[in-house]
């Protein structure tokens, strides 16, 4: 009988693909073998020629739910008389050509076994199978096999080995397989570092429960790093956590014991339910049903907001903890303020004990740190809006546009919401969220994760891509790597990279008609040396043209402007006398004089940032004029607009008039209207609603001017679910709208956009190394 070699590419390792093929072969009566290699899954099988199509179809149709197949190739080879079907040991040596599987949330089968007193893994906090458990966070090298993961130190006991070798068992070739007899141990340490590891996991869980009942704070080692955990109903514990973490008002995520418990407190749409219970199991922002009846102290958990970030136990350790302590828990990233999540045990014991009263550890190493992914949905149509892409998602990314991309290029992204992207052997990898690179620890984490990728892929990029801003750490790091690797580095304008990312997500590079790309964010260096952030680009005939922007206004005090909405309001109101009575009380006499002179400096830096407009309008509406975390003012403004729309309807309020002159949207005209209404005593909710409507009208005006029917949106401003919903309601009938669905709209997508523009030949300089970083004006 003829023999065929079948090569399957994609996310096909760590998802139970070989056991699936084995069982399918038994069912179909195939003879041959299946094996993992660094470039995917390989099968050799005896088949009649007429049976080949059925074989390939069955492999695609019946593949494991977690698998993502990007290609199947079959070719005849020399005839081999196989007897039976076997799983062969993985082979190395090839260049990696596969998608890396992310970490998967606890599956229903393992959850049932964890809670079954008759099961031998009852209460074992590291239960896994081929359908769930860590993957990306523990892999050292490819192909994915136990000896190349953090599980290599744990030898399987006879019972686990029997499961591992049984083709009909759910744990057949499960590389994370273990049990209480041979597996991972829990440890308990106090703030002084005293303690140790225990063979009885229940004993450590008991200590954790007692500490939580006493209102203490815990640092708990999870899948991708440490979490800081506290009783979400204990006001004293929440205040203590805020004090020790130096986090006065930024919202905390809450881990609920069950979906039933979530539904008692919050509104849960069907898409939200599916996300919470799915293999990613992210944090999902949900609307509180009734603030005055909410059993948890929302004024401490999410001050001033009506939404709470919640999640379900995605790891067996968390499930076991919540079974014993069935109350909501704060579960926030274990880090010192402005630093990345801690994932190393020694660092947890030396740093997190400044916050936590005790540390719950385990002895399986975390090789790649990851925060929890974060998702929200628009209020009416329930469209997904990703805020952070990390655990459960990274580093795999499948896009139709990328199918034609070739070569080997590495993009370093931007400094805020940093992530890198690597195109290699036709696969696109986008790292997890790595934090803001203006802090040394985050820079160290970025290097660590990037170097880990070098080790995984065993590759050397041929081109490096980075942001235009020469002051960015990511820019400087790209040049450092370019020097050591002796490869060219290309600089990509920040907002054009946003355009590239959203066009790539929707495969619009080949669009027959022009696309208006709207990029609204907080900051990014423009090609004219100013700080952009309220941009309109037209993509047409494989060119990107800046078609319009918000009119420039003063950029005051550098990065301080993003933390102090009062400065944004001052800049917007420059030259508007009626604004002085509203704004003057926010400044001392000395500050007022300094900033007045600042605005008159020749050559002073200007900005077109929509993010700063949101902040300034928020201050004028009466929200805090200083923020303790990024985006606080804009979130409060969004909350106010939502409250208005829910009371009065989404189409009732007339937006502020929008003035477009020579491609520039007048922010002075907007500010005059806001000041007029505020001075007349109009409430902040109505002003917020009218302002959100103005943003929609600004987009409409430019779209009409440019005669475009397709609108694509990127930039951090579009994390605003109310704005996204309003754009759909007010523009959706007349235009085709494209929002990010796979990536966050914020700067996490910059690296993807850099790769996309390079691959599509759209980098300035006609695809020769481009180094035209503009000279920065006086800051």
């Amino acid at each position: 009988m003829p023999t065929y070699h079948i090569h399957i590419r994609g996310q096909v390792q760590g998802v139970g693909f070989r056991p699936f093929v084995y069982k399918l072969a038994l069912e179909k009566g195939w003879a041959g073998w299946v094996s993992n290699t660094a470039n995917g899954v390989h099968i050799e099988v005896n088949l009649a020629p007429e049976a080949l199509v059925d074989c390939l179809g069955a492999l695609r149709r019946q593949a494991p739910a977690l698998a993502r197949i990007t290609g199947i190739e079959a070719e005849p080879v020399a005839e081999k008389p196989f007897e039976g079907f076997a799983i062969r040991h993985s082979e190395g040596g090839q260049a990696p050509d596969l998608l890396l599987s992310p970490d998967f949330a606890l599956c229903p089968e393992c959850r049932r076994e964890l809670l079954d007193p008759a099961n031998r893994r009852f209460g074992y906090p590291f239960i896994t199978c081929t359908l769930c458990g860590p993957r990306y966070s523990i892999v050292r090298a490819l192909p994915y096999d136990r000896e190349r993961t953090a599980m290599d130190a744990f030898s399987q006991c006879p019972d686990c080995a029997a499961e591992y070798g049984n083709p009909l068992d759910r744990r057949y070739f499960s590389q994370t397989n273990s049990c209480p007899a041979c597996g991972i141990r829990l440890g308990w340490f106090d703030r002084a570092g005293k303690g140790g590891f225990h063979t009885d996991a229940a004993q450590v869980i008991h200590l954790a429960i007692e500490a939580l009942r006493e209102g203490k704070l815990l640092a708990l080692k999870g899948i991708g790093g440490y979490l800081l955990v506290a009783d979400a109903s204990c006001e004293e514990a929440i205040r203590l956590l805020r004090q020790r973490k130096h986090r006065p008002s930024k919202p905390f995520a809450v881990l609920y014991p069950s979906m039933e418990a979530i539904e008692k407190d919050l509104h849960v749409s069907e898409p939200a339910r599916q996300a919470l219970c799915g293999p990613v199991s992210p944090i999902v922002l949900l609307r509180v049903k009734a603030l005055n009846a909410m059993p948890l102290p929302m004024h401490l958990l999410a001050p001033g907001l009506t939404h709470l970030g919640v999640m379900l136990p995605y790891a067996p350790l968390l499930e076991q903890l919540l079974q014993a302590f069935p109350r909501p828990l704060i579960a926030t990233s274990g880090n010192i303020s402005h630093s990345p999540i801690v994932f190393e045990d020694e660092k947890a014991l030396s740093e997190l004990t400044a916050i936590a009263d005790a540390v719950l550890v385990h002895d399986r190493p975390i090789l790649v740190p990851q925060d929890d992914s974060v998702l929200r949905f628009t209020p009416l149509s329930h469209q997904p809006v990703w805020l952070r892409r990390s655990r459960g998602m990274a580093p795999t990314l499948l896009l139709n546009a990328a199918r034609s991309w070739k070569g080997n290029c590495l993009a370093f992204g931007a400094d805020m919401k940093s992530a890198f992207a690597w195109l290699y052997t036709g696969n696109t990898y986008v790292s997890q969220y790595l934090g803001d690179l203006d802090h040394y620890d985050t820079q160290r984490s970025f290097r660590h994760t990037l170097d880990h990728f070098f080790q995984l892929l065993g590759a050397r990029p041929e081109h490096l891509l980075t942001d235009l801003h020469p002051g960015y750490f990511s820019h400087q790091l790209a040049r450092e790597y370019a020097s050591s690797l002796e490869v060219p580095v290309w600089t990509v304008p920040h907002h054009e990279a946003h355009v590239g990312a959203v066009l790539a997500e929707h495969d619009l590079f080949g669009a027959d008609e022009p696309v208006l790309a709207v990029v609204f964010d907080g900051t990014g260096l423009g090609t004219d040396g100013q700080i952009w952030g309220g941009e309109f680009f037209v993509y047409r005939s494989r060119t990107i043209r800046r078609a319009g922007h918000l009119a420039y206004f003063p950029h005051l005090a550098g990065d301080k402007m993003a933390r102090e909405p009062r400065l944004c309001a001052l800049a917007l109101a420059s030259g508007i006398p009626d604004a002085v009575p509203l704004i003057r009380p926010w400044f001392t006499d000395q500050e007022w004089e300094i900033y007045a002179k600042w605005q008159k400096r020749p050559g002073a830096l200007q900005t077109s940032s929509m993010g700063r407009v949101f902040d300034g309008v928020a201050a004028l509406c009466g929200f805090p004029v200083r923020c303790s975390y990024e985006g606080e003012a804009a979130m409060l403004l969004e909350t106010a607009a939502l409250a208005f729309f829910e009371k009065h309807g989404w189409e009732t309020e007339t937006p502020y008039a929008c003035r477009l002159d020579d491609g520039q949207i007048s922010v002075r005209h907007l500010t005059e209207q806001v000041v007029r209404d505020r001075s007349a005593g109009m409430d902040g909710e109505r002003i917020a609603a009218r302002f959100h409507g103005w943003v929609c009208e600004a987009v409409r005006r430019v779209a009409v001017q440019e005669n475009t029917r397709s609108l694509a949106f990127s930039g951090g401003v579009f994390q605003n679910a109310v704005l996204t919903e309003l754009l759909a309601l007010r523009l959706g009938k007349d235009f085709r709208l494209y929002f990010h669905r796979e990536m966050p709209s914020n700067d996490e997508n910059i690296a993807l956009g850099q790769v996309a523009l390079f691959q599509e030949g759209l980098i300035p300089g006609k695809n020769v190394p481009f180094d035209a970083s503009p000279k920065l004006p006086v800051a």
Side-chain angles (χ1 to χ4, degrees), residues 329-550:
L329 295 175
I330 290 175
T332 189
S333 296
N335 60 352
I336 305 299
S337 183
H338 303 300
S339 294
I341 189 169
V342 172
F343 69 101
E344 298 150 313
D345 298 336
E346 290 184 4
K347 196 166 187 178
L349 292 171
S350 64
E351 292 187 2
L352 294 185
T353 46
I355 302 173
D357 297 300
V359 183
L360 196 163
V361 306
H362 59 74
D363 59 357
R364 181 183 63 207
I366 296 172
L367 304 183
V368 183
Q370 298 178 89
D371 288 276
D372 294 312
S373 295
V374 184
L375 173 66
R376 68 185 309 190
F377 292 89
T378 55
L380 299 180
S381 58
H382 306 298
Q383 295 301 307
V385 179
W386 286 101
L387 306 184
R388 186 164 70 202
R389 180 182 179 274
S390 199
R391 177 193 54 76
M393 301 183 73
T396 288
L397 185 66
L398 289 176
L399 299 174
N400 286 334
R403 290 179 177 177
S404 62
W405 295 351
K406 305 296 181 185
N408 179 5
C409 61
L410 170 62
F412 284 72
D415 269 21
M416 296 289 287
K417 306 289 188 296
S418 66
F420 61 82
W422 196 330
L423 176 72
Y424 180 62
T425 61
N427 296 310
T428 305
Y429 308 101
V430 180
S431 79
Q432 67 273 29
Y433 160 84
L434 292 168
D436 298 338
L437 294 177
D438 51 355
H439 299 282
Y440 171 75
D441 283 345
T442 313
Q443 296 170 7
R444 177 175 169 266
S445 179
F446 190 99
R447 285 180 182 270
H448 168 87
T449 306
L450 182 55
D451 289 345
H452 186 71
F453 251 81
F454 271 86
Q455 177 180 325
L456 283 177
L457 300 182
R460 163 194 170 110
E462 297 169 357
H463 301 275
L464 303 183
L465 311 165
T466 190
D467 193 271
L468 187 65
H469 199 309
Y472 276 1
F473 172 80
S474 55
H475 180 107
Q476 297 161 8
L477 186 64
R479 295 202 173 278
E480 176 188 319
Y481 273 78
S483 177
S484 63
L485 296 172
E486 297 182 342
V487 296
V489 60
W490 312 62
T491 52
V492 183
H494 184 92
H495 294 89
E496 283 89 331
H498 272 302
V499 176
V502 69
L503 293 182
E505 272 205 42
H506 294 282
D507 199 11
L508 293 174
F509 287 110
D512 295 329
E513 56 184 54
V515 178
L516 179 68
V518 184
V519 182
F520 290 166
D521 64 1
T523 184
L525 181 61
T527 53
D528 62 357
Q530 305 298 342
I531 301 301
W532 292 5
E535 312 306 312
F536 299 90
F537 297 91
V538 171
Y539 173 75
R540 184 198 314 258
S541 303
R542 306 200 65 76
T543 61
I544 298 175
R545 171 178 61 88
R546 190 189 191 199
H549 59 90
L550 297 188

Side-chain angles (χ1 to χ4, degrees), residues 651-694:
E651 299 284 0
T652 57
E653 186 62 23
T654 302
Y656 286 121
C658 178
R659 180 176 294 169
L660 174 63
D661 297 316
D662 194 25
Q664 298 188 36
I665 301 293
S666 173
V667 294
R668 179 187 177 94
H669 186 235
L670 164 71
T671 308
E672 288 172 341
Q673 296 173 84
V674 173
V675 167
R676 178 201 65 207
D677 284 350
R678 190 62 178 164
S679 299
M682 183 178 289
D683 66 271
E685 289 183 358
R686 185 177 294 272
I687 294 174
R690 299 191 73 187
F691 168 67
H692 278 72
W694 174 87

Side-chain angles (χ1 to χ4, degrees), residues 149-383:
T149 73
M151 289 298 297
D152 62 343
F154 302 93
S155 298
Q156 296 184 84
C157 67
D159 287 339
C160 286
E163 293 170 332
Y164 185 87
N166 180 1
L168 303 180
D169 194 285
R170 196 174 84 253
R171 294 186 173 89
Y172 185 42
F173 270 69
S174 172
Q175 307 305 327
T176 54
N177 196 29
S178 65
C179 74
C182 63
I184 302 152
R185 298 176 302 162
L186 288 180
W188 181 263
F189 295 86
D190 63 19
R191 298 189 79 181
K194 296 180 180 179
F197 286 91
H198 298 253
T199 56
D200 183 4
Q203 184 178 356
V204 178
I205 297 295
H206 176 74
L207 292 171
I209 298 309
E210 288 301 308
L212 290 170
R213 285 174 178 160
E214 294 171 6
K216 292 183 177 180
L217 311 181
L218 303 183
L220 180 149
K221 187 177 181 181
I223 297 292
Y226 278 82
L227 297 172
L228 291 169
V229 176
D231 183 351
S233 64
C234 178
E235 296 193 8
E236 183 179 348
I238 301 172
R239 290 192 177 95
L240 184 61
L241 179 57
R242 289 202 175 278
Q243 175 189 341
R244 290 182 181 176
K245 207 173 189 296
H246 305 292
R247 183 170 170 165
S249 56
K250 188 175 182 179
F252 286 128
V254 175
L255 176 67
Y256 270 77
S258 65
M259 180 59 71
E260 291 74 21
I262 291 177
E263 290 176 325
K264 288 181 180 179
D265 295 345
L266 303 114
H267 295 284
V268 185
S269 66
E270 186 55 32
R273 180 193 308 278
Q274 293 177 11
L276 286 163
C277 298
V280 176
S281 191
I283 296 169
V284 179
L285 270 64
L286 298 178
R287 179 72 183 269
V288 174
K289 284 185 173 179
L291 284 173
N292 57 0
M294 177 67 165
L296 301 181
M298 275 293 289
H299 65 289
L300 295 176
L301 293 171
L305 303 177
T306 57
H307 286 68
L308 186 65
V310 304
M311 56 181 164
L312 290 171
Y314 55 81
L317 175 57
L318 299 177
E319 177 70 30
Q320 192 173 359
L321 189 67
L322 269 295
Q323 286 291 324
F325 189 83
R327 300 208 296 265
L329 295 175
I330 290 175
T332 189
S333 296
N335 60 352
I336 305 299
S337 183
H338 303 300
S339 294
I341 189 169
V342 172
F343 69 101
E344 298 150 313
D345 298 336
E346 290 184 4
K347 196 166 187 178
L349 292 171
S350 64
E351 292 187 2
L352 294 185
T353 46
I355 302 173
D357 297 300
V359 183
L360 196 163
V361 306
H362 59 74
D363 59 357
R364 181 183 63 207
I366 296 172
L367 304 183
V368 183
Q370 298 178 89
D371 288 276
D372 294 312
S373 295
V374 184
L375 173 66
R376 68 185 309 190
F377 292 89
T378 55
L380 299 180
S381 58
H382 306 298
Q383 295 301 307

